[in-house]
Amino acid sequence: MIRVAILGFAHYHANFWTEAFLELPDIRVAAIWDDDAARGGEAAGRFGVAFEPDLDRAIAAADAVAICSETVAHAPLIERAAAAGRAILCEKPLSTALDGAARIAAAIAARGVPFMQGFPKRFDPVSHELKRLVGTGALGTLRQARIRHGHFYGLDPEFRRRWYVDPARAGGGALLDEGVHAADLLRWLFGMPAGVTARASSTLGLAVEDQAIAIFDYADGMLAEIASSFTFVAADISIELYGTEGTALVGGVDLASRDITQAGFLRVYRRGQEPRVWDVSPIVPRFKQGRFHHQNAIAFAQALLAGTPPPIGLADGLGALRMICAAYESIRSRTRVALAPDPASGS
C-alpha cells in the first residue's frame, strides 16, 4: 500500500487526481493539506479523507505527495517533500520562473526522490499517433506546426477574481498556464527549438496576459506556433502539422474545442493521395473520452507501485518552462530569444 498526501486544492485538477487515487488498488489518500484551511477542509469532507492542517505531519503521513497548490508554492512544497524523502507529482507548470525551477532541481537531486511533472497530453492516444506519424516520416519533413491551446474562462468574472490571473501567485497568464501544454507537446514531438519570438496582450485588462502567440524556430528551418488564450469562446482545430509528404489536423483537445467538436478529431492527408480527401482516424482523444487529467495520477501511482521512474520527469517540466520563459523574455525585449539545447539530449 502506497500512501499519498494531496498538498493543495488551489488548482482544480486536485479533484481529478484525488478521484483517481481513491479508485486505485494499493493506493490510499492519507491526508489532504492546504494553506487555506477552509478550502482544504471542504475538499477533505467531500472525499472522506482526513484534513491535516500541519504540512510536515501531512508529508510524514504519506509515502508520496501530489502538489496542486498555486504555482508560486511549488518550489517550497517540493523542497519540504523532497527533504522528507517523498516521491512527488507536481501540477504544471513546474514553477513561476527559472529560479524556482532551479530550487526544485536542487531539492530533488539532493535526495534523489522520484519526481513527475503533470503533462496530461502525454497520455492522450491522439498525441501518440502524432508522435508515430512524425517519427515514422509519414508526413515527410515537418516544415510548420501550430498548436492552439486555451479556454474561455477569462470571460467569466469569477475566474478573473481567482489566483490564476494574479502574477504573484500564478507567475503569468495564458502563455504560462495554457501555453505550457503546447510547449511540452512541441518539445516531445520535435525536441527543443533554437529560439522564439513572442507577443502578448491583456484584452481583459488583467494583470497577466490573456492572449499570447509564440513562434519557435528550429535549427532545420521548421517553424512552430503556440497560440494561447483565456478568451476562446469556441474553436475546432487545435493542432496542425504540415510536412513535405502530408498534413495532420487535430481537434477536440482543448477546452475551447472539446464540447463543440463532435467527430473526425484526427484527420490526415498524404501527398498524392486520391481522391483528395481527408483520412479520418477513429481515434478519440482522451479529452473527449473523459478522465483526461486523471491520467497523471494513474501513471504516477503505477510507476511507484512498479518501482519504475515516472514517465514524465523533471527534465520535461524544466524544458517546457524554459520555452515559455524564453517567450516571456521575447515579449519584454521585443526581440528573438535563443534557447540552449536540452542538456541530456543535445537537442
Side-chain angles (χ1 to χ4, degrees):
M1 180 69 67
I2 291 178
R3 303 164 301 160
V4 179
I6 312 296
L7 304 185
F9 262 76
H11 203 297
Y12 191 81
H13 296 167
N15 293 281
F16 302 133
W17 291 6
T18 305
E19 288 173 0
F21 287 134
L22 288 172
E23 293 168 358
L24 289 168
D26 300 321
I27 299 292
R28 182 169 72 87
V29 180
I32 287 173
W33 170 89
D34 199 305
D35 61 355
D36 182 328
R39 183 172 62 196
E42 186 277 331
R46 276 191 292 112
F47 287 110
V49 173
F51 175 67
E52 175 52 70
D54 183 272
L55 175 59
D56 290 325
R57 284 203 296 265
I59 292 171
D63 307 297
V65 303
I67 296 172
C68 266
S69 65
E70 295 90 341
T71 307
V72 72
H74 287 181
L77 289 175
I78 288 171
E79 287 173 330
R80 295 276 281 277
R86 300 312 191 247
I88 300 162
L89 169 64
C90 183
E91 180 56 72
K92 59 78 195 169
L94 180 62
S95 183
T96 57
L98 293 178
D99 56 352
R103 289 174 56 187
I104 289 168
I108 292 168
R111 290 299 302 268
V113 295
F115 176 86
M116 179 170 162
Q117 180 73 77
F119 278 139
K121 278 185 176 291
R122 298 283 194 100
F123 304 108
D124 195 325
V126 78
S127 298
H128 283 267
E129 178 61 10
L130 292 179
K131 193 166 181 65
R132 186 192 71 80
L133 291 171
V134 171
T136 60
L139 303 179
T141 302
L142 270 291
R143 296 303 189 198
Q144 189 174 123
R146 303 178 70 195
I147 302 180
R148 182 200 50 72
H149 195 88
H151 57 64
F152 38 74
Y153 294 146
L155 303 174
D156 181 350
E158 176 58 29
F159 178 84
R160 299 199 297 271
R161 288 190 287 268
R162 300 188 66 192
W163 71 269
Y164 298 102
V165 301
D166 177 0
R169 292 182 287 172
L175 180 58
L176 181 59
D177 188 53
E178 293 296 299
V180 75
H181 285 293
D184 176 64
L185 185 59
L186 282 179
R187 181 176 167 275
W188 189 54
L189 291 175
F190 306 113
M192 183 64 74
V196 61
T197 304
R199 296 292 183 270
S201 65
S202 179
T203 60
L204 299 172
L206 303 175
V208 296
E209 78 287 348
D210 55 60
Q211 312 286 331
I213 293 176
I215 300 173
F216 294 91
D217 56 87
Y218 283 77
D220 65 358
M222 189 185 84
L223 296 177
E225 174 192 292
I226 289 176
S228 56
S229 176
F230 289 161
T231 65
F232 290 145
V233 173
D236 187 358
I237 299 302
S238 299
I239 303 170
E240 306 169 46
L241 303 183
Y242 298 98
T244 55
E245 297 298 323
T247 295
L249 305 178
V250 179
V253 292
D254 76 333
L255 282 167
S257 64
R258 181 188 63 185
D259 299 324
I260 199 168
T261 301
Q262 299 299 326
F265 303 106
L266 170 60
R267 291 178 282 161
V268 178
Y269 177 81
R270 293 175 176 83
R271 185 179 179 189
Q273 179 178 313
E274 293 296 341
R276 192 171 165 80
V277 295
W278 294 107
D279 283 336
V280 179
S281 170
I283 295 173
V284 177
R286 174 67 66 179
F287 213 49
K288 288 292 294 187
Q289 296 177 40
R291 298 177 64 81
F292 176 71
H293 291 289
H294 294 67
Q295 304 310 306
N296 285 313
I298 292 169
F300 179 64
Q302 289 174 340
L304 295 182
L305 290 168
T308 57
I312 310 170
L314 177 63
D316 300 304
L318 180 57
L321 182 63
R322 285 208 297 124
M323 290 172 65
I324 296 301
C325 287
Y328 277 123
E329 178 57 33
S330 174
I331 291 165
R332 286 189 290 268
S333 66
R334 302 191 70 82
T335 62
R336 176 187 178 273
V337 173
L339 277 154
D342 281 327
S345 67
S347 64

